[in-house]
Amino acid sequence: MLTQGPRNLITDVPGVLVGNARDARLKSGVTVLTSDRPFTAAVHVMGGAPGTRETDLLSPENTVESVDALVLSGGSAFGLDAASGVTAALRRQGRGFVARGHAVPIVPAAILFDLANGGDKGWEVSPYAALGEAAFAAAGPAFTLGTAGAGSGAMTATLKGGLGSASAVLADGTTVGALVAVNAIGEVTYGDGPHFWAAPFEIGGEFGGLGPAPKGPPPPMRLKGMGPGEATTIAIVATDAALTKAQARRVAVAAHDGIARAIVPAHTPHDGDLVFAAATGRRALVDPAGGVLAIGHAAALCLSRAIARAVHAASAEEGDLLPTWQTRFSA
């Protein structure tokens, strides 16, 4: 049986730090995951409309073995500028992959579409590089969930989305965590009720403790009224186990089950659903086959819980186009 880490955040994984930055008028923001030293990372994409930067280098056959930070951002393609802000901050610290005497920070990134969420998008110069740098500067063990960071302007089919996180400690002491910005084309709750699809995996009432929805006919499928590329759930799962890039990729693949269990439907042609996997290497992987299986399973469960926590924690703001879970079901 899994137990929560002390914070129930991805930063329960030793070595992981997370920072948020947001612009309330813009209704958008950036979340950065980093560490005090480079870490192994991989990625797996299952949505049909992803937006990414530097993800090819994460393939197991490619040269670079570790990264300096991972970025989740709002802003659609404009949000990819957030990684430039993080890269600049890392360069000032002298961090990065060394090539002919130059340190080149490695900062893969993924974006979600939040341009049509009611915020002021009339900028002349993209704000995302500055937001990325601010999020990196704020990185630490504690961070805000809900309407924060990359989840600041996120929406689902029926409710306001947000930023979520959760953690778990395995029986052997390995820690696993998830971080997610939920901007899904599908629903995270069952029909018109307050029950989360992720309810069977909840630990300790972390998103309301209501349990699964009462049995009945399946609810009709409802989708956010958007076109291809106008939604996306982007996530990071992390562990303190020492994983190769190939093993980390298997964890990212397994973690996608967490999206499918918490959002209905998921992995559509309209979403850019993507999961990064990060491994800080603080613990030896004693049983490679069984260990990767257990970490992947825990990552999927953490990601389902993080998705529900994101929506559960979202806060209402002026100009919102959808209600929050709290205003709809707790008022």
Side-chain angles (χ1 to χ4, degrees):
M1 181 177 179
L2 300 178
T3 59
Q4 291 178 358
R7 300 183 190 90
N8 199 21
L9 298 173
I10 196 171
T11 49
D12 288 328
V13 175
V16 169
L17 305 171
V18 172
N20 287 328
R22 67 186 299 263
D23 184 325
R25 188 169 64 107
L26 186 67
K27 283 189 177 292
S28 190
V30 175
T31 298
V32 175
L33 182 145
T34 188
S35 181
D36 57 358
R37 62 193 191 207
F39 54 93
T40 301
V43 68
H44 187 61
V45 180
M46 288 191 69
T52 61
R53 167 174 160 158
E54 289 202 299
T55 51
D56 282 353
L57 62 80
L58 299 178
S59 294
E61 72 274 14
N62 290 336
T63 301
V64 175
E65 290 294 331
S66 58
V67 307
D68 300 291
L70 297 169
V71 174
L72 306 179
S73 180
S76 190
F78 304 104
L80 292 175
D81 286 342
S84 295
V86 177
T87 300
L90 284 160
R91 184 174 185 268
R92 287 194 294 272
Q93 296 180 3
R95 292 180 57 177
F97 178 81
V98 178
R100 299 191 66 171
H102 294 273
V104 181
I106 306 300
V107 185
I111 50 87
L112 57 81
F113 182 95
D114 59 4
L115 299 180
N117 65 0
D120 180 3
K121 306 303 192 296
W123 69 77
E124 293 185 3
V125 177
S126 170
Y128 287 98
L131 285 168
E133 190 164 350
F136 178 78
F143 59 96
T144 303
L145 302 185
T147 306
S152 293
M155 298 187 292
T156 73
T158 56
L159 296 169
K160 193 171 177 179
L163 186 76
S165 191
S167 69
V169 180
L170 280 60
D172 67 358
T174 300
T175 303
V176 177
L179 175 70
V180 62
V182 183
N183 189 59
I185 200 169
E187 295 182 275
V188 298
T189 54
Y190 186 92
D192 293 320
H195 301 272
F196 287 96
W197 284 105
F201 316 109
E202 186 175 16
I203 299 176
E206 61 194 336
F207 43 86
L210 299 180
K215 290 184 179 179
M221 183 176 71
R222 293 178 295 189
L223 301 176
K224 186 189 299 184
M226 306 182 96
E230 298 180 7
T232 284
T233 296
I234 48 178
I236 304 169
V237 295
T239 181
D240 56 348
L243 302 180
T244 65
K245 288 169 69 176
Q247 290 169 331
R249 179 175 168 80
R250 289 309 312 172
V251 170
V253 170
H256 270 284
D257 286 352
I259 296 178
R261 293 165 182 162
I263 300 171
V264 179
H267 305 142
T268 76
H270 301 273
D271 288 287
D273 293 348
L274 170 152
V275 178
F276 290 111
T280 62
R282 308 294 173 102
R283 291 178 61 90
L285 189 64
V286 178
D287 174 10
V292 171
L293 187 157
I295 291 167
H297 174 60
L301 297 179
C302 284
L303 186 47
S304 288
R305 294 162 50 214
I307 288 167
R309 292 191 79 201
V311 174
H312 185 260
S315 56
E317 295 184 319
E318 184 177 353
D320 286 349
L321 302 183
L322 288 173
T324 67
W325 186 94
Q326 297 290 340
T327 55
R328 184 169 179 183
F329 299 115
S330 294

